[in-house]
Amino acid sequence: MKNFKSLIFVLTLIGVINLSAQNPIVRNQFSADPTARVFNGKLYVFPSHDIAVPPNTNLRKDWFCMADYHVFTSENLTDWTDHGVIVSQNKVKWVDSTSYSMWAPDCIERNGKYYFYFPANKNIADANGRKGFGIGVAIADKPEGPYFPQPEPIKGVSGIDPNVFIDKDGQAYLYWAMGNIVVAKLKDNMTELASEPTIIANLPQKGLKEGPFLFERNGIYYLTFPHVENKIERLEYAISDNPMGPFKMAGVVMDESPMNCWTNHQSFVQFKGQWYLFYHQNAYSPKFDKNRSICADSLFFNSDGTIRKVTPTLRGVGLTKATNKIKIDRYSSKSDTGSSGAFLDSLNTFNGWKTVLNGKDAWVKYNAVDFGKEQLKSVEVKAFSEKGSSLQIRLDNVDGPVIVEVNVPIGAAWNSVEAKLTKLLTGVHNLVVMLKDGNSIDIEWIKFQ
Ligand code: FUB
């Protein structure tokens, strides 16, 4: 037991520990600006890492504070592993290690090497006397690292939010943001520009644009970027038949954040046949939108190649194992009245949420629960109900068959209640958790065995 505890401690220290599925994906630290890539059949996410402003610094309390980068992986979009820090501000020669300015990164593979691109404030002025943001490259033999940063940032580039695209003919392009979106060709060594930077034309002129991410599908080059059309950023895209343009505006991929997060930042990836949009919101920090959390949702194209707008979900992507503690507060849908989610502890939001069902027929629906091959026989529910109450779990939808009724005894303390299923379950199912009578119930999780 002691050895097991030390193993968990060590794994936590180096960051190799499984995280949960659902949105947000990363549940023990802030994460933002996710770039998702598929390397060797595995999904890798390279986000930036928001932290609280360290004490005894002169840093702005109302601004981004970012000192390093982690990488996260998943083979099934359900289980995620944090591989720990790959690049940090105090290990890069050219970076001002007091600036906490490691903003949105990217990573790409070329000829068996992995190139990690990141912006940060420079500690030395360039030939024109400018410090500001440079973009650096760190190189690794494996996507998890170790990454070795180049001693200098890329010459001729000042700006943020690097994104690299390699076309079918092998030509690599670097995109970045500096008020406008800029593109230049990269040399084969991936660390030097091969052409003069060009501002991409025909994009909206009014309102900030940043965070370019370019991908190609069926011969269409999609240049996607956050843009402030109104008050905060939304995700937009333009299309072209050439990675350098000219581009034509094509629409909105995601509207402004319902949580009022000022920024958003996107990447698009196809994994095991399905397209996904990775983005961020401020789910764990509703009052301070510079502490963000990455999310993923499925993405679909129309037959003419245009992108269908994505609505952010709590449920996210990937199957949830029935034998795990299922946080149904990450529901797929809910009744119009009587159902809500709330933080378990608003002072420690990483503890997550609970579901509150209050009012006759209040329900939440939770999709894609994997009961596996073993026949599961019972459910355990962590809940409380001050007046005592009971809930039903139904299959598929609100009118679907009841698979179990759970009585939650009177009491204001969290309780674990078990009940037998009316039928043995295997395979993947959508579940509806519904209040049977009118007394309110708070639910932390449900779990099958
Ligand atoms: O994370 C810092 C900055 O906020 C990024 O570089 C921008 O894209 C925005 O998300």
Side-chain angles (χ1 to χ4, degrees), residues 32-33 48 50 64 66 103-104 160-161 210-211 226 233 263-265 280 292:
D33 307 323
S48 45
D50 293 333
F64 305 103
M66 300 146 99
W103 288 14
I160 58 168
D161 297 353
E210 54 181 357
E233 291 180 344
T263 62
N264 198 349
H265 191 110
H280 70 226
R292 300 155 296 175

Side-chain angles (χ1 to χ4, degrees), residues 315 319-324 326 367-373 376 426-429:
R315 175 63 188 84
L319 298 177
T320 297
K321 289 178 192 134
T323 48
N324 282 358
I326 308 171
N367 287 348
V369 178
D370 186 3
F371 284 79
K373 292 198 179 96
L376 299 180
T426 56
V428 176
H429 297 279

Side-chain angles (χ1 to χ4, degrees), residues 125-138:
D126 63 18
N128 303 317
R130 277 195 303 258
K131 273 191 174 177
F133 271 98
I135 289 178
V137 192

Side-chain angles (χ1 to χ4, degrees), residues 102-163:
M102 305 205 97
W103 288 14
D106 193 4
C107 187
I108 203 152
E109 184 267 342
R110 179 168 206 135
N111 298 332
K113 294 236 177 271
Y114 297 85
Y115 296 86
F116 180 76
Y117 294 81
F118 58 96
N121 278 154
K122 293 182 274 193
N123 56 16
I124 37 159
D126 63 18
N128 303 317
R130 277 195 303 258
K131 273 191 174 177
F133 271 98
I135 289 178
V137 192
I139 305 172
D141 289 329
K142 286 190 295 175
E144 295 88 353
Y147 281 90
F148 297 96
Q150 296 291 102
E152 287 181 21
I154 303 176
K155 284 199 181 60
V157 178
S158 34
I160 58 168
D161 297 353
N163 163 240

Side-chain angles (χ1 to χ4, degrees), residues 17 24 34 168 194 205 238 257 262 296-297 328 347 365 423 448:
I17 197 149
K168 290 190 200 92
Q205 285 311 294
S257 155
W262 201 95
D297 276 305
I328 55 168
L347 297 179
K365 183 173 183 197
K423 60 191 257 187
F448 294 85

